[in-house]
Amino acid sequence: MLIKTPRGWEIPESQATPEDLFHSRRAILKGMGFAGAAGLLPSAMHGAAADESLYPAKRNTKYTLDRPLTAEAIATGYNNFYEFTLDKGQVRHQVDRFTIDPWKVKVSGLVNNPKTYDIDDLVRRFPLEERLYRFRCVEAWSMAVPWTGFPMSALLKEVDPKPEAGFIKMVTAFRPREMPGILSQPHYDWPYQEALTLDEAMNELALFCTGLYGKPLPKQNGAPIRAIMPWKYGLKNIKSIVEIEVTKKRPPTLWNKAAPTEYGWYSNVNPKKPHPRWSQAQEKLLALGPGGSFMYSMRPTLMYNGYEAFVSEIYDGSEY
Ligand SMILES: Nc1nc2c(c(=O)[nH]1)N[C@H]1C(S)=C(S)[C@@H](COP(=O)(O)O)O[C@H]1N2
Ligand SMILES: [Mo]
């Protein structure tokens, strides 16, 4: 295991709050040590379904960052995917049994053209592009990631929501035999479910992503397709989607149902709205240190994660 003595520019462990992050940090140190020794094996990280010839996709330079990209080993080695395990450094070691080929995404509900897409079809139907986005978890850690995907609006326009449609619900695969965390954590209301207002889903920032770092999505990051809304906390960015339903009524979401005072239905990044157990005023930007060690620097949290110019028009400020 590679553990470096903190340098002056690293955050001392005593300041590493919330406590979860401190424990997770140890977990990833183990993971990183393994990655450093064995190397990352990209071909083993995603399934045969992914068509590598589509990557890297052309970068859309409209979306720029105010910070360096996070090391790929962090984004693919430090994951929240509770269907597998709560241990962020171990998710990528728990996904082997998870099969993503074949994969279908059913789009139904209040649409004129309901359709079930095969993933191979989906990635060709809607042109893929790469975008560099900030990513902010409700636990306060953050990254900057090159995603590959297509705007949610492209798919929604094709299925054509009916006038009374107001929301989209998104659902993750439910495979207890392939996802050990489902069996070990029966208290969560599986399958993982998230939702957006139709306005949010139609916003130009909202993506369905199938890749990152110029390659198909690794399973631990939500292969073969996940949602990315960079102005919202990570928990809204649902992974491994099998179903999208357009609805009239606001759909419940897993985290909002589990703990409504901790995870708002909207969960927009907001420095002024603390989590009951920690402040959201600052974030911990993750980075790789010397020898594969893991560190972060503190930064002020930006309203809507820095995407206010894109999304403020769809909100009146009372959303939580
Ligand atoms: N299905 C599913 N989607 C999920 C989660 C999960 O546990 N299950 N975790 C969420 C949370 S809390 C975060 S921070 C991000 C993490 O994405 P990453 O591992 O690609 O960084 O995924 C989100 N999507
Ligand atoms: Mo998160």
Side-chain angles (χ1 to χ4, degrees), residues 109-112 160-168 198 246-250:
L110 298 174
V111 292
N112 290 315
D160 191 18
K162 296 185 176 182
E164 64 269 35
F167 300 88
I168 73 161
L198 205 51
V246 178
T247 67
K248 182 172 179 177
K249 274 178 48 184
R250 191 172 96 166

Side-chain angles (χ1 to χ4, degrees), residues 148 152-153 184 212 304:
T148 306
M152 285 187 182
S153 64
S184 58
L212 88 174
Y304 298 119

